[in-house]
Every structure is written in C-alpha cells, then in structure tokens.
Amino acid sequence: MAEQQIPPAENQSSSTTPVSLTLLDPDVLECPICREPLKIPIFQCENGHLACSQCCEKVKKICPSCKSPNGYSRCRAMERVIEACRVSCPNAKYGCKENTSFGNRASHEKQCLFAPCFCPVPLNDCNYVGSDKNLRNHIRAKHKDHVIPIVFDTPLTLVMGSSEKIACFQEKKDGELFVVQAFRKSYGLVVSVNCIAPSAHGLGRFSCCMDVIIDPSIKLKQASTVREIQKKIHEEPKDSFMLIPSHMLMLTDWSFGIDICFSRGMDSFIRA
C-alpha cells in the first residue's frame, strides 16, 4: 500500500494543502507489459489497455492483450495522474527527504546519497544498517577497537597473515570507512580496497597506494581509485584489485605486509 500526494490544480489557490491519498495497488501506475513505472508519453489501445512508449515499439504497436493497434493514442488522463503523483524515497528511514515523481523514482534511487550502508566489521552479531554518516558514528561508538585509525596521506603498515581476510580502517577526522579484503585462490591472493559509502558519490573521491612486501627482494606496488560500495564484498572482485601470484606467497606461507596509504582525490597516483 503506497501513499501519494496530489498537488492542487493550477486553478486552485497556491495555499491549498495537497490531498493525501492511499493507493491500494501501486501496480496500476506501472506499465502492464514491462512492469516498470509509467513515464510520459503513455499510450492506450482502442480498448483502453496501457503501454509505455518503449513497449509500444517492442510489441510493434500491437496490443498484447487484445491485438488491436497501440502506440497512436495518448492516454492523457493517466499522464495527468503520473505527473501529479509524488513518492517518498525508499531511503526515507535513513534520512532522505526527497519526494520525486513516480516515473522518476528509479533515477533518484540511483543518485540517492542516503542509500543504506552495512557495517563492515567482521562480527557475526552486528547487523547494523544506516546512512553512511550514521554508520561512521556507529563504528566509532561500537567498534572502535575493531578498526584501524588512519590519516589521509599518511602511510601505515598492515600485516596480513594466512588466516586474516579483512581489515577495516576509519579516517580519524571525518570518519570515512575503508575495507581491505583478501581472497585466497589457487593462482594467488586477490586484494581489494573499497570505501563503504553510497555509490552515488561516484568514482574518484579517494585513491589508495599499496606496496606489498613479500621479502626484501620482492615488492609489488599499485595505485588505484577506491570504489564506493554499500557493503563489503563476499566474492573476489572482477576489477580494481591487486593480484599477488601464488609462487611469490609460497616463500612466506601466504603471510605478507602491506604499506598502504589512503588519499582524497587522485593524490595516491601522483605519489606512486
């Protein structure tokens, strides 16, 4: 059940309070063919069956319900309903106050900075979910002893043993959260670095430089942008990772040290 707000019509006073309606079946505002939210222009066949413009082309302008022509007559009444409907963001419980048109809700969700983020600390009993700001506060209050404090542009050394698969970092001033994960494979160790934050921020806010020290004679170096993800990954990444070949790790029983440095922007590339 969804609640829609209908703003006053143009000939009404601007001080009129919008009417609050309860929509018992939100599916009526979706295209019956593709099941996506209806967007203008909306078409109807001679029997009143609706279709979005993209579906009209896909079905070659033949109504799949009654086989009559569709894609020529606009359904102006439904277009007015869609224009008038406003929906709250599904991330409202995490702090988003946006109300968007029904047809554009998917576009907003992709850009919403209040997308839920999940606690990355590897504790079985913590299922915290919240906005990235609230998650940072949660980490400081509940998991201070389980994260490694960092300062941007200041390198530190992390020792990863054969049994350790994840390390969490929190920047001291602003509280940004970073996760280093290692995935052991037959061909080597896949190491990824991510920031726990809504992906709507876009790529390039942070970068990271890693120097992996196998022994004094073997050293790998990599600088990369840091992806922003809402939760730690559970499968090896398909891109943006460092690979340490297995034949190198055989020398140290799969234990190694990482000199790691986080930066804002692309500073890690400049120093690499």
Side-chain angles (χ1 to χ4, degrees):
M1 183 168 65
E3 185 175 272
Q4 316 292 333
Q5 285 194 334
I6 310 299
E10 292 182 1
N11 61 351
Q12 290 180 318
S13 169
S14 60
S15 62
T16 303
T17 302
V19 177
S20 185
L21 300 176
T22 299
L23 188 63
L24 297 178
D25 184 8
D27 289 351
V28 300
L29 301 182
E30 295 179 350
C31 171
I33 300 174
C34 66
R35 311 308 301 177
E36 293 294 327
L38 283 167
K39 293 182 180 180
I40 298 172
I42 303 169
F43 294 92
Q44 63 180 354
C45 72
E46 61 186 21
N47 291 314
H49 300 125
L50 301 178
C52 67
S53 58
Q54 289 185 340
C55 283
C56 286
E57 297 301 323
K58 290 178 182 178
V59 299
K60 299 181 179 180
K61 296 189 176 182
I62 299 297
C63 177
S65 297
C66 64
K67 307 305 179 183
S68 61
N70 199 348
Y72 303 97
S73 300
R74 299 270 292 272
C75 184
R76 303 289 181 177
M78 181 57 80
E79 288 182 357
R80 289 189 62 188
V81 171
I82 292 296
E83 281 184 324
C85 287
R86 292 293 182 271
V87 294
S88 59
C89 175
N91 300 324
K93 60 183 176 181
Y94 303 119
C96 183
K97 301 186 185 310
E98 279 294 320
N99 286 319
T100 61
S101 63
F102 182 82
N104 290 327
R105 61 176 183 171
S107 177
H108 166 73
E109 288 175 28
K110 292 179 181 178
Q111 302 171 6
C112 184
L113 296 178
F114 290 88
C117 297
F118 297 73
C119 181
V121 176
L123 297 175
N124 294 331
D125 58 345
C126 186
N127 298 310
Y128 182 85
V129 183
S131 67
D132 61 335
K133 179 181 178 181
N134 288 339
L135 177 59
R136 293 196 293 268
N137 294 333
H138 164 79
I139 295 292
R140 281 175 166 156
K142 301 294 185 180
H143 303 307
K144 186 177 181 180
D145 296 334
H146 296 92
V147 297
I148 302 170
I150 61 169
V151 175
F152 284 127
D153 303 317
T154 303
L156 59 84
T157 299
L158 170 67
V159 178
M160 297 285 282
S162 58
S163 61
E164 294 168 298
K165 297 181 180 179
I166 182 171
C168 300
F169 302 82
Q170 185 166 37
E171 202 276 328
K172 286 184 177 181
K173 181 180 179 182
D174 296 328
E176 282 91 349
L177 295 167
F178 299 92
V179 176
V180 175
Q181 291 180 261
F183 299 86
R184 184 169 178 171
K185 300 295 178 180
S186 60
Y187 48 82
L189 206 65
V190 175
V191 181
S192 70
V193 181
N194 295 295
C195 175
I196 303 296
S199 56
H201 283 300
L203 191 64
R205 279 208 310 159
F206 305 108
S207 57
C208 174
C209 183
M210 289 190 292
D211 292 327
V212 176
I213 307 163
I214 306 300
D215 66 24
S217 64
I218 302 176
K219 187 175 182 180
L220 302 177
K221 188 180 186 74
Q222 177 171 303
S224 63
T225 54
V226 177
R227 286 193 311 158
E228 296 184 80
I229 58 177
Q230 293 167 234
K231 61 172 68 175
K232 62 187 177 185
I233 57 179
H234 297 284
E235 298 179 354
E236 63 177 303
K238 299 296 187 293
D239 53 28
S240 301
F241 60 85
M242 172 183 274
L243 174 63
I244 308 173
S246 57
H247 70 271
M248 292 183 178
L249 290 166
M250 294 299 182
L251 302 174
T252 60
D253 192 28
W254 294 74
S255 296
F256 60 96
I258 302 179
D259 287 342
I260 189 167
C261 182
F262 297 94
S263 300
R264 289 194 181 276
M266 308 300 286
D267 287 352
S268 288
F269 282 99
I270 297 174
R271 287 191 299 271

